[in-house]
Every structure is written in structure tokens, then in C-alpha cells.
Amino acid sequence: MKRILALAGSGLLVLAALVAGSAPAQAAPSHRSIQVCATPRHGDAACTARQAADPAGRPVTNAGAPPSTALTPTQLKSAYNLTGLASGGRTVAIVDAYGYPNLERDLGVYRSQFGLPPCTTANGCLRIVNQTGGSKLPRMNTGWAQEQALDVDAVSAACPDCRITVLQASTASFANLGTAVQTAAKMPGVVAISNSYGGSDASDSSYGQYYNFPGIAVTASAGDNGYQGASYPASSRYVVAVGGTSLAPASNTRGWSESVWSGTGSGCSGLNAALPAASSSNTGCAGRAMNDVSAASDPNVGGLAVYYPTSSSSSTWGQFGGTSEASPIIASVYALSGNTGSAATGSYANAIPYGHAGSLFDVTSGSNGPCPTAQWCTAGTAWDGPTGLGTPNGVAGF
């Protein structure tokens, strides 16, 4: 794979991944799943949502009820010891591209199905705006609308009392997505911002303005192509880089088992400095190491039940994963913890887990490799590239 980073004439970020002149389809190395968003055009971000597929390659979907194999809110909270926790109404912002006209309707179906409290624009729980905070929303794109459905359902599952603000960028360009992040950071009540997209490695010295918000947990998906090296914005020193796991019920004390999802991204940035907080974690990276933490991402083994659009008018139930599942889960855990760094002292949320690694579930099996250095692509005790320091065990690690 050849990855290219270019600078547009306006000085804004343009990222692309090219193979023989065209961007690659995102394909999880070993599990059956379907890429949700179309292959991005040059300069656009790739969303990281994937839909589970059956052995024949057909999407796992069901018109009347969630697929029986899909992860429910009760199961997600059980797996990560989040049952009974509340945020006190803190806001998680979701940044995605394009419009989704039936987002509020579909979110209502999801929350009603699982007995979650209503989250509507009328009761103030839900807000949907464009990239600058305005009410004129962009045109629909079915793939990115499915990404949004996964994101808002994941927040609802992990943190039912969180408020949700969805910012819809005009296009999937990094300039527009970055503008949406900047807008979200200025909104009262926003404590976490989830970004379920990525591109090639990029320099914070040029592009960190989009993600540099101490005191807010800015999370970013690691990507769905397995070990490929660093991916931006997950490779930014300002964000929480979120990897992915396979999560399954188990007959152990926890009741769940986790291993590396083979599709998760990981790697070392050649452009951004290592996190000071990670200095004792033996990452093996000279620069910024991905990832910090992780959560369920395997579309087939831990994929979330999602009520999603199939067109501008129709929606149904399906099972979705990708590191797009993990990023909003981790953003929600930060909202539940209430601990997201400090704007006053310039401290970042990504440093927090490094001081509380013992309070996370350490994922010690699986790989997304091959790679030059084993710990960058193979799980082991303590930090490793695919899963970082581990997955949530309540909020003590955050």
C-alpha cells in the first residue's frame, strides 16, 4: 500500500490512501464483514464502520428485531462493568460526514427497543447540526448515515443518560471534518468528541489545530485494515487512539473474553512525538504509538445491534462493528468518568489511562500483524499496539 499525504492550496489537510491510483477498499483481514462507506475519493476520510456478514457474504440484518448475534446495551455494559453508572447528562459529540434525515426517528426506535430513556431534540438530549453549528444540514450519504447510526447507538448503549450532539460535515474531507471537531469543542457541555474515520499519518504541527483540545476527550478510530502503521487523527498526540477487540461471552469470572480484532489498525507515527505519559509503557516506538485503549470492534464477534438506514426513507436492524464501534464507546466511558483532562492546565485525556492501567482489562491474545516489532501487532501483557493498555473495566481506568 502506498499512502500519500498532500497539502491543498488553501493549506488545509488532504489525506488519501492510494493503490494503483485509487483508494483501497477497507477489508478486515480475517472476519467476514462489509465496508459501510464507499471507497473515499482522493483527499477524503475513510469511515471505519463495517457490517457483519454471513458465510455467503450477505449482511447480517433483520427487519423485525435486532439480530440474535448482535451485542445489546445490557451486554455491552456487562462486558465493561458500566451497569448502573451515569454521566449526569454530559454531552458526547459525534463528528461524521453528510446528512441523515431520519437520525432522530431511527435513534428513537433503537432506544425504545432496549428500554432506554428517550433522547430527542424536543427533550434536549439530542442535537443535530452542520459542521459550523448551523441548522442547514448536508445531503444524505447512505454509507455515512449508517456510520452515524452506529455511533449514536453505541453512545446510547454505553451511556444511556449522555446527551448526544451530532455534527454533520458537508463532505468527508479532513478540512470539513476538522471544522466540525472545532465547532464541537466550543459547545457548552461537550466533554468527549468521537471521530470514527481516518487517513494516513499526518503531522500535528500542521493539522493538530483540528484536534488540540485539552480538557475534552477527543477519541479517534485506529482503522480497519489491520497493521498498516499510523493513521491520522488516531496518530495525533492530542487524541485518544482507540483500537479494536473481538468480544465474546465466556464461562469465566468476568463472563466475557476479549482478543485482538484482526482488523484493527495500530502502528507508530513518524511525524508526531511520543506521549510523555507513555514513556514507561515500552511501546518500542520513537514517536507517537497507537493505540492507547480499545473496545469491541469485530463486526461478527461483538458487533453492536444497530437500527440503520438502507435509504433516505427506510431503515432496519443490523449488526455493526469496525473501530467505529470502539471510538464512541470509549468517548462514552470518558463521559461517564467525568475525567477528561483540564483545559486550565493543558492536560489531555489520552494521558489518563497510563496512570491507571491496572484498572483496565488487559487483552493478551490475538494479532493484527505481521509487523516489524511484535508488540506493535501482537497482544501481550501490558501495552501493545492493537489494544493499547486494554479495555474499560468500569471507569477507574479513565
Side-chain angles (χ1 to χ4, degrees):
M1 177 182 292
K2 180 179 179 184
R3 294 193 171 204
I4 295 177
L5 172 63
L7 190 63
S10 63
L12 295 174
L13 177 64
V14 179
L15 292 171
L18 302 183
V19 174
S22 62
Q26 293 198 359
S30 66
H31 292 299
R32 295 181 304 272
S33 60
I34 298 166
Q35 179 179 322
V36 164
C37 293
T39 299
R41 65 184 182 182
H42 179 82
D44 282 0
C47 89
T48 54
R50 301 192 69 88
Q51 186 170 12
D54 67 16
R58 296 169 299 210
V60 174
T61 186
N62 188 32
S68 61
T69 54
L71 197 69
T72 69
T74 297
Q75 290 173 320
L76 177 67
K77 289 186 289 242
S78 168
Y80 293 134
N81 281 337
L82 304 177
T83 304
L85 300 182
S87 73
R90 299 185 184 101
T91 300
V92 175
I94 299 294
V95 170
D96 281 315
Y98 300 106
Y100 176 8
N102 291 320
L103 187 157
E104 183 172 10
R105 181 199 71 183
D106 290 355
L107 179 61
V109 172
Y110 178 86
R111 294 178 71 104
S112 176
Q113 171 70 32
F114 294 112
L116 305 178
C119 186
T120 67
T121 54
N123 69 14
C125 173
L126 178 67
R127 186 179 181 190
I128 307 168
V129 297
N130 63 26
Q131 67 188 44
T132 58
S135 59
K136 185 177 181 180
L137 303 179
R139 63 180 176 85
M140 180 178 178
N141 174 285
T142 302
W144 277 93
Q146 291 175 3
E147 169 70 64
Q148 291 178 52
L150 169 59
D151 291 341
V152 297
D153 289 359
V155 173
S156 297
C159 182
D161 81 316
C162 279
R163 297 174 184 266
I164 302 172
T165 295
V166 180
L167 295 100
Q168 299 174 337
S170 299
T171 71
S173 75
F174 277 81
N176 286 333
L177 289 163
T179 296
V181 178
Q182 291 174 320
T183 300
K186 298 173 184 175
M187 292 181 167
V190 170
V191 298
I193 305 171
S194 178
N195 302 274
S196 293
Y197 57 84
S200 54
D201 197 13
S203 172
D204 277 330
S205 63
S206 298
Y207 313 122
Q209 61 181 321
Y210 293 130
Y211 304 98
N212 184 5
F213 299 105
I216 297 175
V218 182
T219 65
S221 300
D224 297 346
N225 289 319
Y227 179 83
Q228 295 288 341
S231 170
Y232 202 84
S235 64
S236 169
R237 69 183 184 272
Y238 302 127
V239 312
V240 182
V242 184
T245 66
S246 299
L247 176 70
S251 55
N252 55 23
T253 302
R254 178 185 172 191
W256 297 87
S257 65
E258 276 186 286
S259 60
V260 172
W261 175 49
S262 62
T264 184
S266 64
C268 303
S269 175
L271 299 171
N272 298 319
L275 298 185
S279 60
S280 62
S281 294
N282 188 32
T283 66
C285 295
R288 169 64 158 122
M290 291 169 49
N291 295 297
D292 301 315
V293 291
S294 52
S297 296
D298 185 337
N300 292 283
V301 187
L304 189 71
V306 174
Y307 194 71
Y308 72 100
T310 56
S311 70
S312 60
S313 58
S314 299
S315 299
T316 192
W317 286 99
Q319 181 173 330
F320 285 74
T323 50
S324 283
E325 179 185 5
S327 180
I329 290 172
I330 295 299
S332 300
V333 174
Y334 272 103
L336 287 167
S337 78
N339 191 14
T340 57
S342 169
T345 62
S347 61
Y348 295 91
N350 59 14
I352 296 169
Y354 289 91
H356 304 278
S359 297
L360 299 166
F361 288 122
D362 191 6
V363 181
T364 58
S365 65
S367 173
N368 67 340
C371 66
T373 300
Q375 71 204 63
W376 297 347
C377 62
T378 302
T381 302
W383 186 92
D384 57 71
T387 66
L389 297 166
T391 62
N393 179 5
V395 298
F398 297 84

